[in-house]
Amino acid sequence: KRCKEPKEERRPWRIWFYDTSKQAIGALFIHFANIFLSDLTEEDPCSLYLINFILDATLGMLLIWLGVKVVSRIVQHKKYAYLVFGEYG
């Protein structure tokens, strides 16, 4: 994906790694959480896994988006330069 970015806007390798590692860690966490939760039921575990995945991909993303917006507004209001999302200094 990094190679598809325009050269003048391409993120440095370190920033790209920070961005992608957050996504990978989050995906691994939710995957193993879904496996754990689907094992707790007497129902079909695949169905529960799918339901959890869909909820995470819809409601979870909405909650994360809202959380980022709220935190961004607080950071902007308080002028915390080191807490701006996507800025790694």
Coordinates of all heavy atoms in Angstrom, one line a residue:
K1 N 0.8 -1.2 0.0 CA 0.0 0.0 0.0 C 0.9 1.3 0.0 O 0.5 2.2 -0.6 CB -0.9 0.0 1.2 CG -1.8 1.2 1.3 CD -2.8 1.1 2.5 CE -3.6 2.4 2.5 NZ -4.4 2.5 3.7
R2 N 2.0 1.2 0.7 CA 2.9 2.4 0.8 C 3.4 2.8 -0.6 O 3.5 4.0 -0.9 CB 4.0 2.1 1.7 CG 4.9 3.3 1.9 CD 6.1 3.0 2.8 NE 6.9 4.2 2.9 CZ 7.9 4.5 2.1 NH1 8.1 3.8 1.0 NH2 8.6 5.6 2.3
C3 N 3.6 1.8 -1.4 CA 4.2 2.1 -2.8 C 3.1 2.7 -3.7 O 3.5 3.3 -4.7 CB 4.7 0.8 -3.4 SG 6.1 0.1 -2.5
K4 N 1.8 2.6 -3.3 CA 0.8 3.2 -4.1 C 0.5 4.6 -3.8 O -0.1 5.3 -4.5 CB -0.5 2.4 -3.9 CG -0.5 1.0 -4.3 CD -0.6 0.8 -5.8 CE -0.6 -0.7 -6.2 NZ -0.5 -0.9 -7.6
E5 N 1.1 5.1 -2.7 CA 1.0 6.5 -2.3 C 1.8 7.4 -3.3 O 2.9 7.0 -3.7 CB 1.4 6.7 -0.9 CG 0.6 6.0 0.1 CD 1.2 6.1 1.5 OE1 2.3 6.6 1.7 OE2 0.5 5.7 2.5
P6 N 1.3 8.6 -3.6 CA 2.1 9.5 -4.5 C 3.4 9.8 -3.8 O 3.5 9.9 -2.6 CB 1.3 10.7 -4.5 CG -0.1 10.3 -4.2 CD 0.0 9.1 -3.3
K7 N 4.5 9.8 -4.6 CA 5.9 10.0 -4.0 C 6.0 11.2 -3.1 O 6.7 11.2 -2.1 CB 6.9 10.0 -5.1 CG 7.2 8.7 -5.7 CD 8.4 8.7 -6.6 CE 8.5 7.4 -7.3 NZ 9.6 6.6 -6.7
E8 N 5.3 12.3 -3.5 CA 5.5 13.5 -2.7 C 4.7 13.5 -1.3 O 4.9 14.2 -0.4 CB 5.0 14.8 -3.5 CG 3.6 14.7 -4.0 CD 3.5 14.0 -5.3 OE1 4.5 13.6 -5.9 OE2 2.4 13.8 -5.8
E9 N 3.7 12.5 -1.3 CA 2.9 12.4 -0.1 C 3.2 11.1 0.7 O 2.6 10.8 1.7 CB 1.4 12.4 -0.4 CG 0.9 13.7 -1.0 CD -0.5 13.6 -1.5 OE1 -1.2 12.7 -1.0 OE2 -0.9 14.4 -2.3
R10 N 4.1 10.3 0.2 CA 4.4 9.0 0.8 C 5.0 9.2 2.2 O 5.9 10.0 2.5 CB 5.5 8.3 -0.1 CG 5.6 6.8 0.3 CD 6.5 6.1 -0.7 NE 5.8 6.0 -2.0 CZ 6.3 5.7 -3.1 NH1 7.6 5.3 -3.1 NH2 5.6 5.6 -4.2
R11 N 4.5 8.4 3.1 CA 4.9 8.4 4.5 C 6.3 7.7 4.6 O 6.6 6.8 3.9 CB 3.9 7.6 5.4 CG 2.5 8.2 5.5 CD 1.6 7.3 6.1 NE 1.3 6.2 5.2 CZ 0.5 5.2 5.4 NH1 -0.1 5.1 6.6 NH2 0.2 4.2 4.6
P12 N 7.1 8.2 5.6 CA 8.4 7.5 5.8 C 8.1 6.1 6.3 O 7.0 5.8 6.9 CB 9.0 8.4 6.9 CG 8.4 9.7 6.9 CD 7.0 9.4 6.4
W13 N 9.1 5.2 6.2 CA 8.9 3.8 6.6 C 8.5 3.7 8.0 O 7.7 2.9 8.4 CB 10.2 3.0 6.3 CG 10.3 2.6 4.9 CD1 11.2 3.2 4.0 CD2 9.6 1.6 4.2 NE1 11.0 2.6 2.8 CE2 10.1 1.6 2.9 CE3 8.6 0.7 4.6 CZ2 9.6 0.8 1.9 CZ3 8.1 -0.1 3.6 CH2 8.6 -0.1 2.3
R14 N 9.1 4.5 8.9 CA 8.8 4.4 10.3 C 7.3 4.7 10.6 O 6.6 4.0 11.3 CB 9.7 5.4 11.1 CG 9.5 5.3 12.6 CD 10.5 6.2 13.3 NE 10.4 7.5 13.0 CZ 9.9 8.5 13.8 NH1 9.5 8.2 15.0 NH2 9.8 9.7 13.4
I15 N 6.8 5.8 10.0 CA 5.4 6.2 10.1 C 4.5 5.1 9.5 O 3.5 4.8 10.1 CB 5.1 7.6 9.5 CG1 6.1 8.6 10.0 CG2 3.7 8.0 9.6 CD1 6.0 8.9 11.5
W16 N 4.8 4.6 8.4 CA 4.0 3.6 7.7 C 4.0 2.4 8.6 O 2.9 1.8 8.8 CB 4.7 3.2 6.4 CG 4.0 2.1 5.7 CD1 2.9 2.2 4.9 CD2 4.3 0.7 5.8 NE1 2.5 1.0 4.5 CE2 3.4 0.0 5.0 CE3 5.3 0.0 6.4 CZ2 3.4 -1.3 4.8 CZ3 5.3 -1.4 6.2 CH2 4.4 -2.0 5.5
F17 N 5.1 2.0 9.3 CA 5.1 0.9 10.2 C 4.2 1.1 11.4 O 3.5 0.2 11.8 CB 6.6 0.5 10.6 CG 6.6 -0.6 11.6 CD1 6.5 -1.9 11.2 CD2 6.8 -0.3 13.0 CE1 6.5 -2.9 12.2 CE2 6.9 -1.3 13.9 CZ 6.7 -2.6 13.5
Y18 N 4.3 2.3 12.0 CA 3.4 2.6 13.1 C 1.9 2.5 12.7 O 1.1 1.9 13.4 CB 3.6 4.0 13.6 CG 4.9 4.3 14.3 CD1 5.4 5.6 14.4 CD2 5.7 3.2 14.8 CE1 6.6 5.8 15.1 CE2 6.9 3.5 15.5 CZ 7.4 4.8 15.6 OH 8.5 5.0 16.2
D19 N 1.5 3.0 11.6 CA 0.2 2.9 11.1 C -0.3 1.5 10.9 O -1.3 1.1 11.3 CB 0.0 3.7 9.9 CG 0.0 5.2 10.1 OD1 -0.1 5.7 11.3 OD2 0.2 6.0 9.1
T20 N 0.5 0.7 10.2 CA 0.1 -0.6 9.8 C 0.2 -1.6 11.0 O -0.6 -2.5 11.1 CB 1.0 -1.2 8.7 OG1 2.3 -1.1 9.0 CG2 0.7 -0.5 7.4
S21 N 1.1 -1.4 11.9 CA 1.2 -2.3 13.1 C 0.0 -2.1 14.0 O -0.5 -3.0 14.6 CB 2.5 -2.0 13.8 OG 2.6 -0.7 14.4
K22 N -0.5 -0.8 14.1 CA -1.7 -0.6 14.9 C -2.9 -1.4 14.3 O -3.7 -2.0 15.1 CB -2.1 0.9 15.0 CG -1.2 1.7 15.9 CD -1.7 3.1 16.0 CE -1.5 3.8 14.7 NZ -1.8 5.3 14.7
Q23 N -3.0 -1.4 13.0 CA -4.1 -2.1 12.4 C -3.9 -3.6 12.5 O -4.9 -4.3 12.8 CB -4.1 -1.7 10.9 CG -4.5 -0.3 10.6 CD -4.3 0.1 9.2 OE1 -3.9 -0.7 8.4 NE2 -4.6 1.3 8.9
A24 N -2.7 -4.1 12.4 CA -2.5 -5.5 12.5 C -2.7 -6.0 14.0 O -3.3 -7.1 14.2 CB -1.0 -5.9 12.1
I25 N -2.3 -5.3 15.0 CA -2.5 -5.7 16.3 C -4.0 -5.6 16.7 O -4.5 -6.6 17.3 CB -1.7 -4.7 17.3 CG1 -0.2 -5.0 17.1 CG2 -2.1 -4.9 18.7 CD1 0.7 -4.0 17.8
G26 N -4.7 -4.6 16.2 CA -6.1 -4.6 16.4 C -6.9 -5.7 15.8 O -7.8 -6.3 16.3
A27 N -6.5 -6.1 14.5 CA -7.1 -7.2 13.8 C -6.8 -8.5 14.5 O -7.7 -9.4 14.7 CB -6.6 -7.2 12.4
L28 N -5.6 -8.7 15.0 CA -5.3 -10.0 15.7 C -6.1 -10.0 17.0 O -6.6 -11.1 17.4 CB -3.8 -10.0 16.0 CG -2.9 -10.5 14.9 CD1 -1.4 -10.3 15.2 CD2 -3.2 -11.9 14.5
F29 N -6.2 -8.9 17.7 CA -6.9 -8.9 19.0 C -8.3 -9.3 18.8 O -8.9 -10.2 19.5 CB -6.8 -7.6 19.7 CG -7.6 -7.5 20.9 CD1 -7.2 -8.0 22.1 CD2 -8.8 -6.8 20.9 CE1 -8.0 -8.0 23.2 CE2 -9.6 -6.8 22.0 CZ -9.2 -7.3 23.2
I30 N -9.0 -8.7 17.8 CA -10.4 -8.9 17.6 C -10.6 -10.4 17.1 O -11.6 -11.0 17.4 CB -11.1 -7.9 16.7 CG1 -12.6 -7.9 16.9 CG2 -10.8 -8.0 15.3 CD1 -13.1 -7.5 18.2
H31 N -9.7 -10.8 16.3 CA -9.8 -12.2 15.8 C -9.8 -13.2 16.9 O -10.6 -14.1 17.0 CB -8.7 -12.5 14.8 CG -8.6 -13.9 14.3 ND1 -9.5 -14.4 13.5 CD2 -7.7 -14.9 14.6 CE1 -9.3 -15.7 13.2 NE2 -8.2 -16.0 13.9
F32 N -8.8 -13.1 17.8 CA -8.7 -14.0 18.9 C -9.8 -13.8 19.9 O -10.3 -14.8 20.5 CB -7.3 -14.0 19.6 CG -6.3 -14.6 18.7 CD1 -5.3 -13.8 18.2 CD2 -6.3 -16.0 18.5 CE1 -4.3 -14.4 17.4 CE2 -5.3 -16.5 17.7 CZ -4.3 -15.8 17.1
A33 N -10.3 -12.6 20.1 CA -11.4 -12.4 21.0 C -12.7 -13.1 20.4 O -13.5 -13.7 21.1 CB -11.7 -10.9 21.1
N34 N -12.9 -13.0 19.1 CA -14.0 -13.6 18.4 C -13.9 -15.1 18.5 O -14.9 -15.8 18.8 CB -14.1 -13.2 17.0 CG -14.7 -11.9 16.8 OD1 -15.4 -11.4 17.7 ND2 -14.5 -11.3 15.6
I35 N -12.7 -15.7 18.4 CA -12.6 -17.1 18.5 C -12.9 -17.5 20.0 O -13.6 -18.5 20.2 CB -11.2 -17.6 18.2 CG1 -11.0 -17.5 16.6 CG2 -10.9 -19.0 18.6 CD1 -9.6 -17.7 16.2
F36 N -12.4 -16.8 20.9 CA -12.7 -17.1 22.3 C -14.2 -17.0 22.6 O -14.8 -17.9 23.3 CB -11.9 -16.1 23.3 CG -12.2 -16.3 24.7 CD1 -11.8 -17.4 25.4 CD2 -13.0 -15.3 25.3 CE1 -12.1 -17.5 26.8 CE2 -13.3 -15.5 26.7 CZ -12.9 -16.6 27.4
L37 N -14.8 -15.9 22.2 CA -16.3 -15.8 22.4 C -17.1 -16.8 21.7 O -18.1 -17.3 22.3 CB -16.7 -14.4 22.0 CG -16.2 -13.2 22.9 CD1 -16.6 -11.9 22.2 CD2 -16.8 -13.3 24.3
S38 N -16.7 -17.2 20.5 CA -17.5 -18.2 19.8 C -17.4 -19.6 20.4 O -18.3 -20.4 20.3 CB -17.1 -18.2 18.3 OG -15.8 -18.8 18.2
D39 N -16.3 -19.8 21.2 CA -16.2 -21.1 21.9 C -17.0 -21.2 23.1 O -17.2 -22.3 23.6 CB -14.7 -21.3 22.3 CG -14.1 -22.5 21.6 OD1 -14.8 -23.1 20.8 OD2 -12.9 -22.8 21.9
L40 N -17.6 -20.1 23.6 CA -18.3 -20.1 24.9 C -19.8 -20.5 24.7 O -20.5 -20.5 25.6 CB -18.3 -18.7 25.5 CG -16.9 -18.2 26.0 CD1 -17.0 -16.8 26.5 CD2 -16.3 -19.2 27.0
T41 N -20.2 -20.7 23.5 CA -21.6 -21.0 23.2 C -21.9 -22.4 22.8 O -21.0 -23.1 22.3 CB -22.1 -20.0 22.1 OG1 -23.5 -20.2 21.9 CG2 -21.4 -20.2 20.8
E42 N -23.1 -22.8 23.0 CA -23.5 -24.2 22.6 C -24.0 -24.1 21.1 O -24.2 -25.1 20.5 CB -24.7 -24.7 23.5 CG -24.3 -24.8 24.9 CD -23.3 -25.9 25.1 OE1 -23.3 -27.0 24.5 OE2 -22.4 -25.7 26.0
E43 N -24.2 -22.9 20.6 CA -24.7 -22.7 19.3 C -23.5 -22.9 18.3 O -22.4 -23.2 18.7 CB -25.2 -21.3 19.1 CG -26.3 -20.9 20.0 CD -27.6 -21.7 19.8 OE1 -27.9 -21.9 18.7 OE2 -28.2 -22.0 20.8
D44 N -23.8 -22.7 17.0 CA -22.8 -22.9 16.0 C -21.7 -21.8 16.2 O -22.0 -20.6 16.1 CB -23.5 -22.8 14.6 CG -22.5 -22.9 13.5 OD1 -21.4 -23.4 13.7 OD2 -22.8 -22.4 12.4
P45 N -20.5 -22.1 16.5 CA -19.4 -21.1 16.8 C -19.1 -20.3 15.5 O -18.8 -19.1 15.7 CB -18.2 -21.9 17.2 CG -18.5 -23.3 16.9 CD -20.0 -23.5 16.7
C46 N -19.3 -20.8 14.3 CA -19.0 -20.0 13.1 C -20.0 -18.9 13.0 O -19.7 -17.8 12.6 CB -19.0 -20.9 11.9 SG -17.7 -22.1 11.9
S47 N -21.3 -19.1 13.3 CA -22.3 -18.1 13.2 C -22.0 -17.0 14.2 O -22.1 -15.8 13.9 CB -23.7 -18.7 13.5 OG -24.0 -19.7 12.7
L48 N -21.6 -17.3 15.4 CA -21.3 -16.3 16.4 C -20.1 -15.5 16.0 O -20.1 -14.3 16.2 CB -21.1 -17.0 17.8 CG -21.0 -16.0 19.0 CD1 -22.3 -15.1 19.1 CD2 -20.8 -16.8 20.2
Y49 N -19.1 -16.2 15.5 CA -17.9 -15.5 15.0 C -18.3 -14.5 13.9 O -17.8 -13.3 14.0 CB -16.9 -16.5 14.4 CG -15.6 -15.9 14.0 CD1 -14.5 -15.8 14.8 CD2 -15.5 -15.3 12.7 CE1 -13.4 -15.1 14.4 CE2 -14.4 -14.7 12.2 CZ -13.3 -14.6 13.1 OH -12.1 -14.0 12.7
L50 N -19.1 -14.9 13.0 CA -19.6 -14.0 11.9 C -20.3 -12.8 12.5 O -20.1 -11.6 12.1 CB -20.4 -14.7 10.9 CG -20.9 -13.9 9.7 CD1 -19.7 -13.4 8.9 CD2 -21.8 -14.7 8.9
I51 N -21.2 -13.0 13.4 CA -22.0 -11.9 14.0 C -21.0 -11.0 14.8 O -21.1 -9.8 14.6 CB -23.0 -12.5 15.0 CG1 -24.1 -13.2 14.2 CG2 -23.6 -11.4 15.9 CD1 -25.1 -14.0 15.1
N52 N -20.1 -11.5 15.5 CA -19.1 -10.7 16.2 C -18.3 -9.9 15.2 O -18.0 -8.7 15.4 CB -18.2 -11.5 17.1 CG -18.9 -12.0 18.4 OD1 -19.8 -11.4 18.8 ND2 -18.4 -13.0 18.9
F53 N -17.9 -10.5 14.2 CA -17.1 -9.8 13.1 C -17.9 -8.7 12.5 O -17.3 -7.6 12.3 CB -16.6 -10.8 12.1 CG -15.8 -10.1 11.0 CD1 -14.5 -9.8 11.2 CD2 -16.4 -9.8 9.8 CE1 -13.8 -9.2 10.2 CE2 -15.7 -9.2 8.8 CZ -14.4 -8.9 9.0
I54 N -19.1 -8.9 12.1 CA -19.9 -7.9 11.5 C -20.2 -6.7 12.5 O -20.1 -5.6 12.1 CB -21.2 -8.5 11.0 CG1 -20.9 -9.4 9.8 CG2 -22.2 -7.4 10.6 CD1 -22.1 -10.2 9.3
L55 N -20.5 -7.1 13.7 CA -20.7 -6.0 14.7 C -19.4 -5.2 14.9 O -19.5 -3.9 15.0 CB -21.1 -6.6 16.1 CG -22.5 -7.1 16.2 CD1 -22.8 -7.8 17.5 CD2 -23.5 -5.9 16.0
D56 N -18.2 -5.8 14.9 CA -17.0 -5.1 15.1 C -16.7 -4.2 13.8 O -16.3 -3.1 14.0 CB -15.8 -6.1 15.2 CG -14.5 -5.3 15.3 OD1 -14.4 -4.4 16.1 OD2 -13.6 -5.6 14.5
A57 N -17.0 -4.7 12.7 CA -16.8 -4.0 11.4 C -17.8 -2.8 11.2 O -17.5 -1.9 10.4 CB -16.8 -4.9 10.2
T58 N -18.9 -2.8 11.9 CA -19.9 -1.7 11.7 C -19.9 -0.9 13.0 O -19.4 0.2 13.0 CB -21.3 -2.3 11.4 OG1 -21.6 -3.3 12.4 CG2 -21.3 -3.0 10.0
L59 N -20.5 -1.4 14.0 CA -20.6 -0.6 15.3 C -19.3 -0.3 15.9 O -19.1 0.8 16.4 CB -21.5 -1.4 16.3 CG -23.0 -1.5 15.9 CD1 -23.7 -2.3 17.0 CD2 -23.7 -0.2 15.7
G60 N -18.4 -1.2 15.8 CA -17.0 -1.0 16.4 C -16.3 0.1 15.7 O -15.7 1.0 16.3
M61 N -16.4 0.1 14.4 CA -15.8 1.2 13.6 C -16.4 2.6 13.9 O -15.8 3.6 13.9 CB -15.8 0.9 12.1 CG -14.8 -0.2 11.7 SD -13.1 0.1 12.2 CE -12.8 1.5 11.2
L62 N -17.7 2.6 14.0 CA -18.5 3.8 14.3 C -18.0 4.3 15.7 O -17.8 5.5 15.8 CB -20.0 3.6 14.3 CG -20.8 4.8 14.7 CD1 -20.7 5.9 13.6 CD2 -22.3 4.4 14.7
L63 N -17.9 3.5 16.7 CA -17.5 3.9 18.0 C -16.0 4.4 18.0 O -15.7 5.4 18.6 CB -17.6 2.7 19.0 CG -19.0 2.4 19.4 CD1 -19.0 1.1 20.3 CD2 -19.7 3.5 20.1
I64 N -15.2 3.7 17.2 CA -13.8 4.2 17.1 C -13.8 5.6 16.4 O -13.0 6.5 16.9 CB -12.9 3.2 16.4 CG1 -12.7 2.0 17.2 CG2 -11.6 3.8 15.9 CD1 -12.1 0.8 16.5
W65 N -14.5 5.7 15.4 CA -14.6 7.0 14.7 C -15.0 8.1 15.6 O -14.4 9.2 15.6 CB -15.5 6.9 13.4 CG -15.6 8.2 12.6 CD1 -14.7 8.7 11.7 CD2 -16.7 9.1 12.7 NE1 -15.1 9.8 11.2 CE2 -16.3 10.1 11.8 CE3 -17.8 9.1 13.4 CZ2 -17.2 11.2 11.6 CZ3 -18.7 10.2 13.2 CH2 -18.4 11.2 12.3
L66 N -16.1 7.9 16.3 CA -16.6 8.9 17.3 C -15.6 9.2 18.4 O -15.4 10.3 18.7 CB -17.9 8.4 17.9 CG -19.1 8.4 17.1 CD1 -20.3 7.7 17.8 CD2 -19.5 9.8 16.7
G67 N -14.9 8.1 18.9 CA -13.9 8.3 19.9 C -12.7 9.2 19.3 O -12.2 10.1 20.0
V68 N -12.3 8.9 18.1 CA -11.2 9.7 17.5 C -11.6 11.2 17.4 O -10.9 12.1 17.6 CB -10.8 9.1 16.2 CG1 -9.9 10.1 15.4 CG2 -10.0 7.8 16.4
K69 N -12.9 11.4 16.9 CA -13.4 12.8 16.8 C -13.4 13.5 18.1 O -13.0 14.7 18.2 CB -14.8 12.8 16.2 CG -14.8 12.4 14.7 CD -14.2 13.5 13.9 CE -14.2 13.1 12.4 NZ -13.5 14.1 11.6
V70 N -13.9 12.8 19.2 CA -14.0 13.5 20.5 C -12.6 13.8 21.0 O -12.3 14.9 21.5 CB -14.8 12.6 21.5 CG1 -14.6 13.0 22.9 CG2 -16.2 12.5 21.1
V71 N -11.7 12.8 21.0 CA -10.3 13.0 21.4 C -9.6 14.1 20.6 O -8.9 15.0 21.2 CB -9.5 11.7 21.4 CG1 -8.1 12.0 21.7 CG2 -10.1 10.7 22.5
S72 N -9.8 14.1 19.3 CA -9.2 15.2 18.5 C -9.7 16.5 18.8 O -8.9 17.5 18.9 CB -9.5 14.9 17.0 OG -8.9 13.7 16.5
R73 N -11.0 16.7 19.1 CA -11.5 18.0 19.6 C -10.9 18.4 20.9 O -10.6 19.6 21.1 CB -13.0 17.9 19.6 CG -13.7 17.8 18.3 CD -14.6 18.9 18.0 NE -15.0 18.8 16.6 CZ -16.3 18.8 16.2 NH1 -17.2 18.9 17.1 NH2 -16.6 18.7 14.9
I74 N -10.8 17.5 21.8 CA -10.2 17.8 23.1 C -8.8 18.2 23.0 O -8.3 19.2 23.5 CB -10.4 16.6 24.1 CG1 -11.8 16.4 24.4 CG2 -9.5 16.8 25.4 CD1 -12.1 15.1 25.2
V75 N -8.0 17.5 22.2 CA -6.6 17.8 21.9 C -6.5 19.1 21.3 O -5.6 19.9 21.6 CB -6.0 16.7 21.0 CG1 -4.6 17.1 20.5 CG2 -5.8 15.4 21.8
Q76 N -7.3 19.4 20.3 CA -7.3 20.7 19.6 C -7.6 21.9 20.6 O -7.0 22.9 20.6 CB -8.3 20.7 18.4 CG -8.2 21.9 17.6 CD -9.1 21.8 16.4 OE1 -10.1 21.1 16.4 NE2 -8.8 22.6 15.3
H77 N -8.7 21.7 21.4 CA -9.1 22.7 22.4 C -8.0 22.9 23.4 O -7.8 24.1 23.8 CB -10.4 22.3 23.0 CG -10.9 23.2 24.1 ND1 -11.4 24.4 23.7 CD2 -10.9 23.1 25.4 CE1 -11.8 25.1 24.8 NE2 -11.5 24.3 25.9
K78 N -7.4 21.9 23.9 CA -6.4 22.0 25.0 C -5.0 22.3 24.4 O -4.1 22.6 25.2 CB -6.3 20.7 25.8 CG -7.6 20.4 26.5 CD -7.7 21.1 27.8 CE -8.9 20.6 28.6 NZ -9.1 21.3 29.8
K79 N -4.9 22.2 23.1 CA -3.6 22.5 22.4 C -2.5 21.6 22.8 O -1.4 22.0 23.1 CB -3.2 24.0 22.5 CG -4.2 24.9 21.9 CD -3.8 26.3 22.0 CE -4.8 27.2 21.2 NZ -5.5 28.1 22.0
Y80 N -2.8 20.3 22.9 CA -1.8 19.2 23.2 C -1.2 18.8 21.9 O -1.7 17.9 21.2 CB -2.4 18.0 23.9 CG -3.0 18.3 25.2 CD1 -4.2 17.7 25.6 CD2 -2.4 19.1 26.1 CE1 -4.7 17.9 26.9 CE2 -2.9 19.4 27.4 CZ -4.1 18.7 27.7 OH -4.6 19.0 29.0
A81 N 0.0 19.4 21.5 CA 0.6 19.2 20.2 C 1.1 17.7 20.1 O 1.1 17.2 19.0 CB 1.8 20.1 20.0
Y82 N 1.4 17.1 21.2 CA 2.0 15.7 21.1 C 0.9 14.6 21.0 O 1.2 13.5 20.8 CB 2.9 15.4 22.3 CG 4.1 16.2 22.3 CD1 4.4 17.2 23.2 CD2 5.1 16.0 21.3 CE1 5.5 18.0 23.2 CE2 6.2 16.8 21.2 CZ 6.5 17.7 22.2 OH 7.6 18.5 22.2
L83 N -0.4 15.0 21.1 CA -1.4 14.0 21.0 C -2.3 14.0 19.8 O -3.3 13.4 19.7 CB -2.3 14.1 22.3 CG -1.7 13.9 23.6 CD1 -2.7 14.2 24.7 CD2 -1.2 12.5 23.7
V84 N -1.8 14.7 18.7 CA -2.5 14.8 17.5 C -2.4 13.5 16.8 O -1.3 13.0 16.6 CB -2.0 16.0 16.6 CG1 -2.7 16.0 15.3 CG2 -2.1 17.3 17.3
F85 N -3.6 13.0 16.3 CA -3.6 11.7 15.6 C -2.8 11.8 14.3 O -3.0 12.7 13.6 CB -5.0 11.2 15.3 CG -5.7 10.7 16.5 CD1 -6.7 11.4 17.2 CD2 -5.4 9.4 17.0 CE1 -7.3 10.9 18.3 CE2 -6.1 8.9 18.1 CZ -7.0 9.7 18.8
G86 N -2.0 10.8 14.1 CA -1.2 10.7 12.8 C 0.1 11.5 12.8 O 0.8 11.5 11.9
E87 N 0.3 12.3 13.9 CA 1.6 13.1 14.0 C 2.5 12.3 14.9 O 2.2 12.2 16.1 CB 1.3 14.5 14.5 CG 0.4 15.3 13.6 CD 1.1 15.6 12.3 OE1 2.4 15.8 12.3 OE2 0.4 15.7 11.2
Y88 N 3.7 11.9 14.4 CA 4.6 11.1 15.2 C 5.8 11.9 15.6 O 6.8 11.4 16.2 CB 4.9 9.8 14.5 CG 3.7 9.0 14.2 CD1 3.3 8.8 13.0 CD2 3.1 8.3 15.3 CE1 2.2 8.0 12.7 CE2 2.0 7.5 15.0 CZ 1.5 7.4 13.8 OH 0.4 6.6 13.5
G89 N 5.9 13.2 15.2 CA 7.0 14.0 15.6 C 8.3 13.8 14.9 O 8.5 13.0 14.0

